[in-house]
Amino acid sequence: MSIEHFDAVVVGSGFGGSVMSYRLVSAGMRVCVLERGQAFPPGAFPRTPEGMHRNFWDPSEKLYGMFDLWSFKHLGALVASGLGGGSLIYANVLLRKDEKWFVREDPTKPGQEYWPVTRQDLDPHYDRVERMMNAQRYPFDKAPYHRTEKTRAMQMAAGKLNLEWMLPPLAVTFSNDGEEPVPGEPIKEEFRNLHNRTRSTCRLCGECDIGCNYGSKNTLDYNYLSAAKRAGADIRTLCEVERFEPRAGGGYLIHYRKHNPAVPVDRTAGRITVSADRLVLAAGTLGTTYLLLKNRNALPALSPTLGSRFCGNGDLLTFALRCETETNGKVQPWPVDGTRGPVITSAIRMPDAADGKEGRGFYIEDAGYPAFVAWLLEATGAMGTFRRAKRVLGARIKAALGIRKDTNFSAELSTIIGAAELSSTSLPLLGMGRDVADGRLKLEGNLLESDWTISRSSSYFKRMRETMHNIAKSWGAGFRDNAIWHLGRRVITVHPLGGAPMGRNASEGVVDEHGEVFGYPDLYVADGAMMPGPVGANPALTIAALADRFADGIVERYQAGLVSRVEIPAAEAV
């Protein structure tokens, strides 16, 4: 039986894989995209408890959902599985890496980073990605968006603390081109998206991080992947790559498992092999590094830096509880309402020593949440609800006995719900920045493990927490850490980076500045794994821009008819 062959196989469909697949197929290549997760068209993201229960990724337990949670000794990581990768659950922010944060330190010293590319190198690619993803800023100056109190609160805090405040570009459609923004309007698309479904403009529901059921988020399945499919890319979902190795005469063999959620687990079924002249690994920081470590016997010339420069991009989640404001000399609860708007609308930037200030820089952003989270938060005050219900019940008994004449029950129901001050006046704060990338990913048996700790980053986290505390204080709010932080200063990241870092040579990194693996022509890494250190800002745009830059080199070689034909030792070749 012959093996199906492609000009390029792309593993993963996140910010690196989607950009690569579109760029390569547009250049005339025959491209296959292998995505382990499933597609999520509008309306497919679960909201019920039963649906959420199934919405996790662990095929060994017959779970094929979107959330994939990794737990290491000192750090947890939440990533996504599905067509569109991390864009399905990220908070839409498309910030560029700060120009002076492309540091060039001594990479032989622990935790120091050397970026072989510059902001000037990436700016044209940033431009290209922003256009493709239709980046828009939150229209805070227009009704009804001007009533978003959490955005106003961030702006006020930045003013009080003398810090820079901004409305970052978001991969969200608030309005059609040339039209005023209106929530819930049909989005006008030049071409039908790959789901063949109608989308609508942002409904301000705060559900971005659990999947947008309205298609308002410009996730990668609506732009890069839809365009790639129109150009002829073969996009295969529920296809999980397990092994790959060099092929005699050049290129690679790729072995993957085809998941079938409809049948019981069968680890021997659904194994498929394809071959390709070029292999692009874009399975996410953890997925790509795991694949490289797992297949190292087939790739003995891999750099000894494999697994190094791992970090969480300085992620930290805290909370401002019970915000207050003063009106006419009277202090009263301030309903900043985290449920209104997209998850993130604005950001506060803290400068870095590279900017001529002190310490390591970071961003703090408002972190909204879906309305059902507000109900859960209010449920923590169940005793108060019980007491209110008890009083109302007494009043109704009197009415039933004729002691009290009142047949209207509306006010009593309102009393039972209560003023909901805890949920309406509290807001999560999401921080990210330049922590120290001194962690290493490695295999322990068949499991991925990390040795990263906050030790070298402790001053960074201390400075960020102090700033978050000051922001909460400026709102008259209490400050709380997340529960994970209290467990031995653990953090949870949604932006894991590193593991197959860029470098100038194999002693500094796994890949070169064009994403090609040292020692293995036509093998590329195009996701967060190739970062030599933290991005600082939200990393999605930088991952996509680097992938776009890598694609330029691949396309140039392809159009020139250059395909590597390197002799591979017999032990490696198949």
Side-chain angles (χ1 to χ4, degrees):
M1 180 177 178
S2 61
I3 294 176
E4 194 172 9
H5 183 75
F6 297 89
D7 294 315
V9 164
V10 179
V11 181
S13 63
F15 287 97
S18 292
V19 173
M20 275 286 200
S21 60
Y22 166 69
R23 290 294 314 284
L24 301 189
V25 74
S26 297
M29 297 188 198
R30 187 166 182 242
V31 175
C32 177
V33 180
L34 299 175
E35 165 56 51
R36 67 175 184 170
Q38 55 187 306
F40 289 91
F45 298 101
R47 294 293 184 265
T48 65
E50 191 277 334
M52 286 293 186
H53 161 71
R54 305 297 306 171
N55 199 23
F56 293 88
W57 177 262
D58 188 349
S60 67
E61 299 295 328
K62 293 297 290 178
L63 294 173
Y64 302 96
M66 182 173 64
F67 295 110
D68 187 11
L69 183 62
W70 298 63
S71 180
F72 304 121
K73 187 174 182 180
H74 300 286
L75 173 141
L78 178 64
V79 296
S81 181
L83 189 63
S87 73
L88 298 176
I89 66 170
Y90 84 136
N92 318 305
V93 177
L94 297 177
L95 279 172
R96 303 185 182 202
K97 180 175 173 65
D98 295 67
E99 182 175 2
K100 293 182 179 179
W101 294 7
F102 286 85
V103 296
R104 292 190 164 179
E105 302 168 329
D106 183 352
T108 64
K109 296 181 178 179
Q112 293 204 351
E113 46 187 290
Y114 186 101
W115 286 78
V117 296
T118 67
R119 172 66 177 265
Q120 289 70 32
D121 291 330
L122 288 187
D123 272 337
H125 306 284
Y126 281 137
D127 292 342
R128 191 182 289 172
V129 174
E130 286 179 345
R131 286 193 299 270
M132 189 72 174
M133 299 197 71
N134 190 27
Q136 302 181 10
R137 298 180 194 272
Y138 191 61
F140 186 49
D141 60 337
K142 298 182 181 298
Y145 310 91
H146 68 290
R147 295 199 300 268
T148 311
E149 287 299 307
K150 66 172 185 169
T151 313
R152 192 180 312 281
M154 290 289 284
Q155 185 181 34
M156 185 203 78
K160 284 188 175 182
L161 300 175
N162 196 29
L163 293 172
E164 180 184 357
W165 174 84
M166 68 189 74
L167 295 168
L170 303 176
V172 178
T173 299
F174 298 103
S175 63
N176 291 299
D177 288 345
E179 298 181 7
E180 288 294 301
V182 178
E185 285 292 298
I187 293 174
K188 299 174 183 177
E189 295 184 293
E190 183 180 0
F191 301 102
R192 199 71 168 157
N193 60 71
L194 59 78
H195 301 297
N196 194 30
R197 297 287 294 277
T198 300
R199 305 163 58 200
S200 67
T201 56
C202 181
R203 296 171 183 248
L204 312 180
C205 64
E207 298 181 356
C208 313
D209 289 350
I210 57 172
C212 179
N213 272 327
Y214 308 108
S216 310
K217 285 180 67 171
N218 302 331
T219 49
L220 296 162
D221 45 336
Y222 295 125
N223 39 71
Y224 279 103
L225 291 169
S226 285
K229 185 174 181 180
R230 287 195 301 272
D234 185 344
I235 299 176
R236 304 179 182 182
T237 56
L238 290 169
C239 293
E240 185 173 14
V241 172
E242 298 179 318
R243 294 188 299 113
F244 58 89
E245 68 265 359
R247 187 182 61 153
Y252 297 86
L253 290 174
I254 302 98
H255 312 278
Y256 68 92
R257 185 201 315 178
K258 175 64 175 176
H259 292 296
N260 186 349
V263 300
V265 175
D266 184 352
R267 296 186 180 280
T268 65
R271 294 310 202 279
I272 301 170
T273 298
V274 295
S275 64
D277 293 328
R278 301 159 192 84
L279 174 58
V280 179
L281 299 179
T285 292
L286 301 178
T288 288
T289 306
Y290 177 74
L291 282 172
L292 287 169
L293 288 167
K294 186 179 177 183
N295 290 278
R296 196 166 193 168
N297 288 340
L299 306 166
L302 278 175
S303 165
T305 66
L306 178 61
S308 69
R309 304 196 180 283
F310 176 73
C311 70
N313 200 47
D315 283 2
L316 184 67
L317 177 66
T318 62
F319 302 91
L321 302 180
R322 298 189 183 278
C323 299
E324 295 178 337
T325 186
E326 186 174 326
T327 305
N328 298 325
K330 183 180 179 181
V331 176
Q332 56 188 17
W334 186 4
V336 291
D337 192 5
T339 68
R340 181 176 177 78
V343 167
I344 290 172
T345 61
S346 65
I348 292 173
R349 179 182 182 273
M350 176 65 78
D352 187 284
D355 303 310
K357 302 297 182 179
E358 296 180 357
R360 301 174 77 89
F362 52 83
Y363 287 82
I364 296 173
E365 299 163 352
D366 55 296
Y369 47 86
F372 73 79
V373 174
W375 286 98
L376 294 175
L377 187 58
E378 288 301 321
T380 63
M383 288 306 298
T385 303
F386 176 77
R387 286 191 294 269
R388 293 192 298 271
K390 187 177 179 181
R391 290 195 299 269
V392 169
L393 179 61
R396 298 319 299 171
I397 291 175
K398 290 180 180 179
L401 295 174
I403 300 173
R404 177 183 175 187
K405 299 295 185 181
D406 184 3
T407 58
N408 191 318
F409 194 45
S410 301
E412 285 87 345
L413 284 176
S414 175
T415 298
I416 292 174
I417 294 173
E421 286 185 3
L422 177 59
S423 60
S424 66
T425 63
S426 300
L427 186 67
L429 295 171
L430 177 61
M432 67 205 72
R434 293 192 58 236
D435 60 347
V436 179
D438 61 343
R440 192 173 193 99
L441 295 170
K442 57 183 179 180
L443 287 184
E444 291 189 359
N446 200 39
L447 299 176
L448 191 67
E449 188 51 79
S450 162
D451 65 1
W452 185 90
T453 72
I454 72 163
S455 178
R456 290 179 183 270
S457 302
S458 58
S459 61
Y460 159 83
F461 282 105
K462 179 181 179 182
R463 186 166 174 247
M464 177 184 280
R465 286 183 68 251
E466 287 176 350
T467 306
M468 289 174 157
H469 197 171
N470 289 336
I471 290 172
K473 187 177 179 181
S474 76
W475 299 335
F479 175 77
R480 296 290 184 275
D481 292 302
N482 69 76
I484 300 295
W485 178 261
H486 293 293
L487 299 176
R489 295 296 185 262
R490 281 173 56 88
V491 299
I492 185 164
T493 179
V494 291
H495 304 128
L497 300 173
M502 289 186 289
R504 291 170 292 182
N505 51 59
S507 67
E508 289 184 5
V510 175
V511 303
D512 64 19
E513 65 176 280
H514 300 288
E516 192 168 26
V517 175
F518 289 113
Y520 291 94
D522 296 316
L523 175 61
Y524 296 86
V525 173
D527 55 26
M530 45 75 171
M531 298 296 180
V535 173
N538 312 64
L541 182 63
T542 298
I543 294 170
L546 281 165
D548 191 73
R549 184 174 186 268
F550 297 168
D552 277 354
I554 298 174
V555 169
E556 184 178 348
R557 291 182 60 193
Y558 172 75
Q559 293 177 340
L562 299 176
V563 177
S564 299
R565 291 288 182 263
V566 178
E567 288 298 321
I568 301 172
E572 298 178 52
V574 174

